[in-house]
Amino acid sequence: MSTSTATPEAPDLARENAVFRKVVLRIVPFLVLCYVFSYLDRVNVGFAKLQMSDDLGLSEAAYGLGAGLFFIGYFLFEVPSNLMLQRIGARTWIARIMITWGLVSGSFMFVTDETTFYALRFLLGAAEAGFYPGVILYCTYWFPSHRRARVIAMFMSAIPVAGIFGNPLSGWIMDAFHGKNGWQGWQWMFLLEAIPAILIGVACLFYLDNGVRGAKWLSDDEKGIVEAALAKDTAHQKHGGAWDGFRDPKVWLMCLIYFCFVMGQYALTFWMPTFVKSTGIDDTLTIGVLSAVPFLAALVAMNLFGRSADKRRERRWHLVIPSLMGAVGFSLAAGWSGSTTLSLIALSCAAAGVLTCAPLFWSLPTAFLGGTAAAAGLAVINSVGNLAGFVSPYMIGALKDATGSAEIPMYVLALSLVIGAAAVLTTKKQVVNR
C-alpha cells in the first residue's frame, strides 16, 4: 500500500487558497476603486490641457512643468506619509489622503494662470503622497510574497481602468458641460471627477481594517491561516528601523529601476490625449475613446503577466520582457505618428509593456523588506522613482518646444526602459524569486 506525502498537505493548501480568495474579494476591489479615482484625479489634467492650455495661454513646456510639479510635492511628503500610515493605521490615513486630494483636485476649476496651476499641482502631490506605497505596504499585511504579484497587478489594474473609462468620461464631460453656468468644460471636469474621491474617502473609515486581527469578517481559524502564511514568508525579510530602509543598497537599485519604468508610465498618462490628437483627431470625445484603447491592452497584459509571475515564482524576466515591449512600442510610435491606426497599435504595445512593469516591480522590494524598514524603504523607492513623473512630462514638453519634433521624446523614453530592463537583470535571482 503506497502513501503520498503530498496528500495530507492538499486539504491544507485548498483551505489556505479559499481563505486568501476571501481576503482578495474583501480588500482588493475596494482598493482598486480607490486607485481608479486617485489616478483619474492625478492625470485628468492631460485632458484638461486640450482646452485649458488655450484658455490660460500655457506653452507645451509650461504644461509639462505643471504636470510634473505634482511629483515634487509627492516626493517631499511620501516617506512621512507612509510612516504615519504605519503608526495610526491604514483605515484613517488612506481616508485622510483621499478626502484631501479630492478637495484639492476639485479646486483646479479655479485655476486662472500658470502660478495657480503650478501651486495646485504641487499641493495635489502633497495631498496624495503615501497612498500608493501605503497600499503596497498594506498588501504585505495580508498577502505573502508568492501571492502578492497577482494581487498588486489586480490593484494596479486601476491605472488602465482609469484610462479606459476615465478618458471617455473626461472627454464627454468637457463636451457636454462646456459653457454651462459660465464655466469651461475643463472646469466642470475637475469638479465632477473630484466628488467620488471624497465620498470613497469617507467610506474608507467604515470599510477598511488595519490588519488581520481586526478583521471581523474572518473567523479565528481563518485569521490563523493568514498569519501563519505571513510568518513563514517574512522569516527571510529584513526587519529594522526606518533608517535601514534608507541605507540598504538594494533599495537604491530599486529606485533606479522604478524611475526608468515611471518615465514611460507618465509619458503615456499625461500625454496620451495629445499623442492621439497629433494623428489628426480633433473631437474631444473621439480622442477620449481612442485614448482608452492602449489602456485596454495594458489591462489584459498586466494581469496575465502577474498571474504567470506568481505561478512560476519568477520576477526578473517577467519584468524585463514587458519593459522591452514598452521600448519597442515607443520606438514604433515615433515612426508611425502620421497614422491613427498604426499609432494606436504602437501605443498599445507601449502601454501593455510599461503598465505591466509597475505591479511586477513591487514584488522585488517587498521580497526583502519588512517592518518599519519596509514602510520607509517602499516610500523611498516610490518617491524617488516618481520623480520621473516630474522629469518625463517636462522633458517631453521641453523637447517638443525646442526641437519641434514629437519623435525624439519617444526615443528617450524607449532608452529609459532599456536601462530599467538591464538594471533588473543585475538583481540576485535568489532574493527576488520567492
Side-chain angles (χ1 to χ4, degrees):
M1 186 169 110
S2 63
T3 303
S4 171
T5 57
T7 303
E9 297 176 2
D12 292 338
L13 180 59
R15 174 63 172 154
E16 181 180 306
N17 287 338
V19 171
F20 276 105
R21 278 195 296 271
K22 184 176 181 179
V23 175
V24 167
L25 290 173
R26 168 73 185 195
I27 293 175
V28 177
F30 184 78
L31 293 177
V32 169
L33 185 64
C34 291
Y35 199 32
V36 165
F37 289 104
S38 161
Y39 210 80
L40 183 59
D41 286 343
R42 181 188 301 185
V43 303
N44 58 9
V45 68
F47 254 91
K49 173 184 180 290
L50 301 178
Q51 293 178 353
M52 186 175 66
S53 288
D54 290 336
D55 291 345
L56 304 182
L58 297 178
S59 67
E60 297 287 280
Y63 163 74
L65 176 60
L69 278 172
F70 170 94
F71 295 96
I72 301 300
Y74 203 79
F75 171 80
L76 293 175
F77 292 94
E78 186 89 326
V79 174
S81 180
N82 228 33
L83 293 175
M84 284 296 295
L85 182 145
Q86 189 190 44
R87 175 171 293 186
I88 71 173
R91 177 173 54 217
T92 301
W93 197 246
I94 290 177
R96 192 285 304 165
I97 290 172
M98 295 196 64
I99 292 169
T100 53
W101 98 50
L103 292 172
V104 175
S105 184
S107 299
F108 273 80
M109 65 179 295
F110 302 114
V111 168
T112 57
D113 53 27
E114 285 185 15
T115 302
T116 52
F117 177 54
Y118 294 159
L120 283 175
R121 286 296 295 176
F122 176 86
L123 289 175
L124 186 65
E128 192 179 336
F131 175 77
Y132 181 84
V135 170
I136 301 300
L137 179 64
Y138 188 59
C139 286
T140 68
Y141 299 166
W142 296 92
F143 303 101
S145 59
H146 66 275
R147 296 181 183 271
R148 210 173 291 145
R150 185 180 176 188
V151 168
I152 295 176
M154 292 168 65
F155 167 65
M156 293 198 65
S157 296
I159 297 178
V161 168
I164 292 167
F165 296 104
N167 284 343
L169 175 64
S170 296
W172 175 77
I173 290 173
M174 288 172 62
D175 271 354
F177 287 82
H178 185 69
K180 293 187 182 299
N181 200 42
W183 295 343
Q184 302 298 311
W186 59 270
Q187 291 176 298
W188 278 107
M189 184 198 68
F190 281 126
L191 174 63
L192 296 178
E193 292 183 356
I195 293 172
I198 298 171
L199 296 178
I200 296 171
V202 174
C204 283
L205 295 170
F206 302 94
Y207 190 83
L208 286 183
D209 297 291
N210 289 327
V212 178
R213 279 292 104 190
K216 296 179 180 179
W217 42 275
L218 288 176
S219 68
D220 288 341
D221 179 56
E222 290 170 333
K223 291 176 184 178
I225 290 173
V226 174
E227 290 174 335
L230 292 172
K232 181 180 178 180
D233 183 67
T234 57
H236 65 274
Q237 288 182 338
K238 177 176 182 176
H239 290 258
W243 183 244
D244 294 312
F246 287 90
R247 64 186 182 185
D248 189 332
K250 293 192 294 293
V251 168
W252 295 99
L253 175 61
M254 297 297 111
C255 289
L256 170 64
I257 295 170
Y258 195 49
F259 185 95
C260 292
F261 294 161
V262 172
M263 282 285 290
Q265 177 181 326
Y266 285 110
L268 287 171
T269 51
F270 284 129
W271 287 92
M272 183 71 80
T274 301
F275 291 155
V276 174
K277 184 177 181 180
S278 68
T279 66
I281 306 297
D282 292 321
D283 179 68
T284 306
L285 181 57
T286 302
I287 292 172
V289 173
L290 294 179
S291 295
V293 173
F295 293 105
L296 184 61
L299 180 64
V300 175
M302 66 197 303
N303 283 284
L304 288 177
F305 272 88
R307 183 185 296 268
S308 175
D310 275 353
K311 181 179 179 180
R312 291 168 174 79
R313 299 201 183 191
E314 197 286 326
R315 303 291 182 241
R316 297 194 305 166
W317 286 104
H318 280 81
L319 265 173
V320 169
I321 291 172
S323 64
L324 295 180
M325 282 175 52
V328 170
F330 279 123
S331 298
L332 292 176
W336 292 348
S337 58
S339 166
T340 300
T341 301
L342 292 178
S343 290
L344 283 177
I345 293 173
L347 290 170
S348 294
C349 180
V354 168
L355 296 183
T356 294
C357 288
L360 295 175
F361 165 80
W362 286 106
S363 63
L364 270 61
T366 56
F368 65 85
L369 287 171
T372 304
L378 295 179
V380 168
I381 294 165
N382 195 58
S383 58
V384 173
N386 268 292
L387 285 177
F390 171 78
V391 174
S392 181
Y394 182 64
M395 178 273 294
I396 293 173
L399 284 178
K400 287 183 69 175
D401 278 348
T403 66
S405 169
E407 290 79 17
I408 292 176
M410 295 287 196
Y411 292 126
V412 174
L413 295 170
L415 177 61
S416 173
L417 292 170
V418 172
I419 293 172
V424 168
L425 291 176
T426 69
T427 59
K428 294 182 179 180
K429 183 168 63 174
Q430 64 269 28
V431 173
V432 300
N433 290 345
R434 296 186 184 273

